[in-house]
Amino acid sequence: MSLQIRPSTFADSPALAELLRAAQARRAASAPELKRLVGQLREHPVRPHFHELLAEDRGRLVGHLMVYQNVGRFHPGHYDVEIAVHPDAQGRGLGRRLAQEAQAHLSALNPEKLLSGTYEHHERGLAFLAQQGFTERFRYFDNVLDLRTWEAERWPVPALGGGLRLLTLADLIAGQGEEAAWRAFHAAFAEARQDAPSEEPPAPTLYEVFRQRAQAPGYSPQSVFLAVTGGGEVVAVTELKTDPQDAALMHIGLTGTRRAWRRRGLALALKLAGMHWAQASGARHIKTGNATSNAAILAINGRLGFRPERVRVEFARTL
């Protein structure tokens, strides 16, 4: 192997996306999405650390290393480490070489904790993380619903009750205006997200960053469903986004309810509204990610017809 390790550039995004898909290191990797994610890290108000290297073998991209601070769970002493090796280059020590590069870079940062992850079926990746001193801390399911066989008539969207209206974000924008609608949406999203199960406590959802999701590939105000009071307060949310690689696949993001409005079936009603909309729009599948510890939502998704596809295993190493 004639190896060259160098910093990445935006021009590498198409080849890097291909590598990540081959290595199954990241879901739905695409060049535009990678550019957007890196741009968000570099421009985020908390100024997270970001370091990225690529490994080439005779001009072909075969390895990737990223050391960064996750803005969704930001902590000044915590760093995420992602290493991906193309299947054709695995078993030749490249993963260990990239891990050494990561260790050399981190030595100047004095980290308190490192976080990483891989998929349950990726035995080589699991063994590698164990060898590097990481221990398992958390698991997520990729749950998938086949809309081609989903019997929508069995699952009508229930009335919200309590004077609430079921609106899309597009409806709310039409009624309140762009800025007011996004502010109301953000307030509900930020509160609901604080209670979502995760390995690390979520960081506050900054409005200026939240607002940027409107530019994300596949994101549309027509596929964001909200429960709204007569006074215009958003009390529950669910988001759907079209997959950048597959127009027939949709992803469900956060589904949640503000604390004072829970246990009224609002999250289920919104999720059903989104599922009906996705099926009517011609989507064939819906994916959502759930923590394996979230028994309540897993039970609901199981009744709705979602089936586990693969499990993401999160690891941590305390220094």
Side-chain angles (χ1 to χ4, degrees), residues 11-84:
D12 294 308
S13 296
L16 178 56
E18 183 178 344
L19 165 65
L20 293 175
R21 290 194 297 269
Q24 297 183 334
R26 184 176 293 157
R27 293 167 287 185
S30 68
E33 185 70 1
L34 291 178
K35 289 180 179 179
R36 186 183 73 86
L37 291 173
V38 171
Q40 281 186 336
L41 283 171
R42 289 176 172 166
E43 298 167 9
H44 198 280
V46 301
R47 300 299 179 196
H49 183 81
F50 176 75
H51 177 69
E52 188 173 41
L53 295 177
L54 301 178
E56 286 184 329
D57 180 16
R58 290 181 286 272
R60 181 192 179 207
L61 198 60
V62 293
H64 173 247
L65 165 66
M66 189 160 70
V67 178
Y68 66 103
Q69 290 173 309
N70 189 319
V71 295
R73 56 189 183 198
F74 181 80
H75 182 289
H78 296 183
Y79 294 83
D80 280 58
V81 180
E82 290 189 11
I83 293 176

Side-chain angles (χ1 to χ4, degrees), residues 11-298:
D12 294 308
S13 296
L16 178 56
E18 183 178 344
L19 165 65
L20 293 175
R21 290 194 297 269
Q24 297 183 334
R26 184 176 293 157
R27 293 167 287 185
S30 68
E33 185 70 1
L34 291 178
K35 289 180 179 179
R36 186 183 73 86
L37 291 173
V38 171
Q40 281 186 336
L41 283 171
R42 289 176 172 166
E43 298 167 9
H44 198 280
V46 301
R47 300 299 179 196
H49 183 81
F50 176 75
H51 177 69
E52 188 173 41
L53 295 177
L54 301 178
E56 286 184 329
D57 180 16
R58 290 181 286 272
R60 181 192 179 207
L61 198 60
V62 293
H64 173 247
L65 165 66
M66 189 160 70
V67 178
Y68 66 103
Q69 290 173 309
N70 189 319
V71 295
R73 56 189 183 198
F74 181 80
H75 182 289
H78 296 183
Y79 294 83
D80 280 58
V81 180
E82 290 189 11
I83 293 176
V85 177
H86 195 283
D88 295 344
Q90 291 177 5
R92 305 181 192 178
L94 178 53
R96 288 190 298 275
R97 171 70 185 278
L98 292 173
Q100 291 168 357
E101 293 282 348
Q103 183 174 356
H105 180 76
L106 285 161
S107 63
L109 301 175
N110 296 317
E112 298 174 19
K113 182 186 285 188
L114 305 180
L115 300 121
S116 192
T118 189
Y119 287 98
E120 186 180 51
H121 66 276
H122 190 197
E123 295 182 3
R124 188 186 294 272
L126 294 172
F128 178 78
L129 286 171
Q131 291 166 3
Q132 298 297 316
F134 286 83
T135 57
E136 180 181 331
R137 300 294 296 276
F138 211 73
R139 291 188 173 219
Y140 294 90
F141 276 121
D142 275 350
N143 274 336
V144 183
L145 175 71
D146 190 337
L147 288 171
R148 296 169 298 181
T149 58
W150 184 59
E151 299 174 347
E153 64 278 3
R154 291 185 54 206
W155 295 99
V157 180
L160 300 185
L164 297 174
R165 297 171 293 159
L166 197 163
L167 303 176
T168 66
L169 179 57
D171 296 330
L172 195 64
I173 290 171
Q176 295 189 8
E178 190 93 13
E179 183 66 11
W182 274 95
R183 291 278 182 184
F185 174 30
H186 167 258
F189 182 100
E191 182 177 318
R193 181 176 172 271
Q194 286 298 311
D195 297 328
S198 65
E199 159 60 19
E200 297 288 306
T205 306
L206 303 178
Y207 176 73
E208 59 268 35
V209 177
F210 179 79
R211 189 67 176 79
Q212 294 172 8
R213 65 204 312 106
Q215 282 74 53
Y219 199 88
S220 170
Q222 283 80 21
S223 59
V224 177
F225 295 85
L226 311 169
V228 185
T229 68
E233 178 190 8
V234 177
V235 299
V237 306
T238 193
E239 296 180 293
L240 285 89
K241 185 179 78 169
T242 303
D243 189 284
Q245 299 295 305
D246 182 358
L249 171 62
M250 302 209 73
H251 297 271
I252 297 179
L254 178 73
T255 298
T257 305
R258 302 190 81 157
R259 297 182 184 105
W261 292 84
R262 290 176 185 167
R263 303 189 184 281
R264 305 187 189 196
L266 300 181
L268 176 59
L270 295 185
K271 179 173 280 193
L272 284 169
M275 292 164 62
H276 280 271
W277 178 87
Q279 189 180 60
S281 299
R284 294 194 295 270
H285 295 90
I286 296 179
K287 278 190 179 182
T288 185
N290 302 120
T292 54
S293 61
N294 195 348
I297 196 65
L298 288 173

